[in-house]
Amino acid sequence: MKKSNNSFVTVFKSVGRFIDQKVITPLTKFLLGFTKKSGESSKSFERWLNKKNTLTFLSLALSLAFFFLVDSKSIVLVETSAEVLYNQPVEAVYNQEAYVVEGLPESVDVTLIGRRSDLYLAKQISNQKVTADISGLEPGTHKVNLKYENSINTINYKLDPSTVTIIVYPKVSEARTVNIDILNQDKLNSKLSIKSIEIDQSEIIIKGAGHALEQVSTVKALVDIENLVDPTVGVSNLKDVPLIAYDAKGQVVNVEMVPETINATISIVSPSKEVPIKVIPKGNVEFGLALSSATANITKVIVYGDEEAINELQYIPVEIDVTGLNSAKEFNVVLNKPAGIRYISETSVNVKVALDKEVSVEVPDILIEHTGLDSNYKAVALSDESSKTSVIVKATQSVIDSLDTSTIKATIDLSGYGVGDHEVEVAVTGDELKAMYTAKTKKVKIRIAKK
């Protein structure tokens, strides 16, 4: 105890010497200098200043002032403050294999209250967390208090929210078939095509509350083509393909899936085919004229795309509008990709059109065929005039001379017609697209009956 008192006295004397040397002595010299300059009128003030009691009291006053100044600064350093930590994750403690919890927030805001130094330290420590202990709760609705765990006892906290209402459900499970959904297929090289995708697990288990599982309409494996590294012709493997559950409206349903991801094997091919260009005039040229030729600068192109679409494709249509045309003209047409076709070796084609005088010819006895009739019905013509028609063909003489009349077709569309007698319009087409075709019999009468 005695040593402690001696230490205190030593410190106090040191402070006193410091104040005397750095504050009292310089101030006294300043005052003395000031009084000398003031003359005889200030001698009384000098005598008062030189008194021992005066200097003692002056030192005491300055020491007290210095003490209060330092003390006020210390108070600022230790005063209470507040800090808000936003979006702090909430950890729930419960048996996740047996139960599902709804209503628990993913994050909360935490307001910390304490000294500034403690608040700074609290933000540097990473072991604080917000928890909700619901391990002992049975299925049903409950109010739960959230707790903020931290290692600094001098800090108070406030949670927003601090109490939440949750619903505990028993966890159930079901087996579901996985469907494949291809993402970013258009990012694949346009000459490549996806032939097939195989996944290593076609059935998975979904887990969750009963009402959530009832909402699940489909489970999809999202195969993202962008995740393939340098895809080329052959087989590519894609790991950790995510699984997503959707309801009937396409909204994501939050359920647990076992496994969470699967692997996919993607077969990539590059099917191609050479097909002809087919020029198709649209509209009617000026009266009295007809198309004598419509010649494209290229006759064939190579197409790439889906294998099925390529197999069905017979030609690339090139439509030109010749409405009101009265002289030769050259058209530049951009080639449009048909459905399923991803790449065409040419992007555009030039078509030169020439005109000549129009002539006409009548082609008799073209059989009228029907299309679109339901397979449960049959149709018969009510007269000979309704089974055949003559067709007027208008074109240039050179086109007429080379016309193959067997390519002329007369048809009636019976889509949507039922049992009974009907009068139906006749349509005529032909392979020679530079000619115009008109049926002399505009409508025919047919009878539809059940087979």
Side-chain angles (χ1 to χ4, degrees):
M1 182 70 180
K2 187 174 182 180
K3 290 182 178 180
S4 176
N5 290 336
N6 290 337
S7 299
F8 178 76
V9 171
T10 302
V11 172
F12 188 78
K13 286 181 177 180
S14 298
V15 173
R17 283 196 298 271
F18 175 80
I19 295 174
D20 185 60
Q21 292 174 2
K22 301 298 182 179
V23 180
I24 302 302
T25 300
L27 182 61
T28 302
K29 288 181 179 180
F30 171 76
L31 292 175
L32 287 175
F34 178 77
T35 54
K36 286 181 180 180
K37 292 181 181 180
S38 301
E40 295 296 330
S41 61
S42 61
K43 288 183 178 180
S44 59
F45 176 74
E46 183 179 346
R47 288 194 295 271
W48 173 79
L49 188 62
N50 287 328
K51 290 182 180 181
K52 186 176 181 180
N53 290 340
T54 301
L55 294 177
T56 301
F57 283 115
L58 185 60
S59 297
L60 179 61
L62 291 174
S63 297
L64 291 173
F66 183 75
F67 169 77
F68 285 116
L69 178 64
V70 173
D71 184 63
S72 65
K73 295 295 183 182
S74 300
I75 290 174
V76 171
L77 293 175
V78 299
E79 68 181 357
T80 299
S81 184
E83 185 97 19
V84 179
L85 304 179
Y86 295 99
N87 300 320
Q88 298 303 297
V90 177
E91 297 182 9
V93 180
Y94 66 100
N95 185 351
Q96 298 186 16
E97 291 298 322
Y99 299 104
V100 177
V101 176
E102 293 183 357
L104 194 67
E106 293 183 0
S107 63
V108 297
D109 297 336
V110 182
T111 302
L112 303 180
I113 304 171
R115 294 180 300 182
R116 290 185 178 178
S117 58
D118 291 340
L119 293 178
Y120 175 80
L121 181 61
K123 289 191 294 181
Q124 309 309 311
I125 298 175
S126 60
N127 62 352
Q128 63 262 24
K129 57 184 178 180
V130 179
T131 60
D133 187 358
I134 55 180
S135 56
L137 300 181
E138 296 293 330
T141 303
H142 308 274
K143 281 192 174 183
V144 177
N145 295 323
L146 303 182
K147 182 180 179 182
Y148 179 70
E149 297 181 2
N150 68 92
S151 56
I152 302 179
N153 297 328
T154 56
I155 287 183
N156 296 320
Y157 66 87
K158 180 182 178 182
L159 297 176
D160 182 23
S162 60
T163 302
V164 295
T165 300
I166 63 170
I167 304 176
V168 179
Y169 297 97
K171 181 178 286 188
V172 295
S173 61
E174 293 180 5
R176 291 296 180 92
T177 300
V178 178
N179 298 302
I180 298 174
D181 201 356
I182 304 176
L183 305 181
N184 294 312
Q185 188 171 1
D186 58 341
K187 302 294 179 63
L188 192 67
N189 185 301
S190 56
K191 291 186 178 181
L192 301 178
S193 182
I194 304 296
K195 181 178 182 180
S196 64
I197 297 179
E198 296 181 359
I199 53 180
D200 63 355
Q201 195 159 336
S202 60
E203 192 172 77
I204 65 156
I205 302 299
I206 60 173
K207 296 181 178 181
H211 68 275
L213 266 57
E214 290 178 358
Q215 295 177 21
V216 176
S217 177
T218 182
V219 175
K220 291 186 177 182
L222 304 184
V223 179
D224 193 343
I225 300 302
E226 279 199 319
N227 292 333
L228 291 176
V229 179
D230 192 23
T232 56
V233 174
V235 176
S236 299
N237 296 316
L238 194 58
K239 295 184 177 181
D240 299 325
V241 175
L243 298 172
I244 307 294
Y246 296 94
D247 63 14
K249 296 181 178 179
Q251 302 296 319
V252 175
V253 182
N254 185 21
V255 293
E256 179 185 348
M257 281 175 277
V258 182
E260 294 182 351
T261 62
I262 59 175
N263 300 323
T265 301
I266 305 171
S267 177
I268 299 177
V269 294
S270 182
S272 62
K273 180 180 179 180
E274 187 178 60
V275 294
I277 293 291
K278 186 174 184 179
V279 178
I280 303 175
K282 295 290 184 180
N284 298 322
V285 300
E286 187 175 282
F287 180 77
L289 298 175
L291 294 176
S292 61
S293 65
T295 307
N297 65 326
I298 55 176
T299 58
K300 294 181 179 181
V301 293
I302 299 175
V303 295
Y304 295 81
D306 299 338
E307 196 165 9
E308 183 179 354
I310 286 180
N311 291 336
E312 294 179 355
L313 187 65
Q314 300 301 316
Y315 58 86
I316 295 294
V318 176
E319 295 184 354
I320 56 173
D321 186 2
V322 297
T323 302
L325 195 65
N326 58 12
S327 62
K329 184 176 181 180
E330 184 173 344
F331 295 84
N332 182 266
V333 183
V334 175
L335 297 180
N336 295 318
K337 293 188 284 289
I341 301 302
R342 297 165 54 85
Y343 179 84
I344 303 180
S345 58
E346 300 290 340
T347 58
S348 63
V349 60
N350 291 328
V351 179
K352 292 182 178 180
V353 173
L355 302 179
D356 202 348
K357 184 179 178 181
E358 180 187 82
V359 297
S360 64
V361 63
E362 181 176 329
V363 181
D365 298 329
I366 300 298
L367 184 66
I368 300 175
E369 302 175 351
H370 62 77
T371 62
L373 184 63
D374 190 291
S375 59
N376 295 319
Y377 300 113
K378 62 180 180 180
V380 294
L382 293 181
S383 64
D384 290 339
E385 291 78 9
S386 294
S387 62
K388 294 180 181 181
T389 183
S390 294
V391 175
I392 305 299
V393 181
K394 293 182 179 181
T396 63
Q397 188 62 55
S398 60
V399 172
I400 294 293
D401 291 341
S402 60
L403 182 66
D404 181 2
T405 58
S406 66
T407 64
I408 300 174
K409 304 292 181 184
T411 58
I412 54 174
D413 185 4
L414 300 182
S415 301
Y417 284 87
V419 174
D421 294 346
H422 306 279
E423 191 174 45
V424 187
E425 291 186 358
V426 179
V428 182
T429 59
D431 288 353
E432 178 52 75
L433 298 179
K434 295 186 292 294
M436 294 180 57
Y437 306 90
T438 307
K440 289 191 71 174
T441 304
K442 302 298 183 183
K443 293 183 179 182
V444 296
K445 294 182 179 180
I446 53 98
R447 176 171 295 162
I448 297 176
K450 287 186 176 182
K451 288 183 178 180

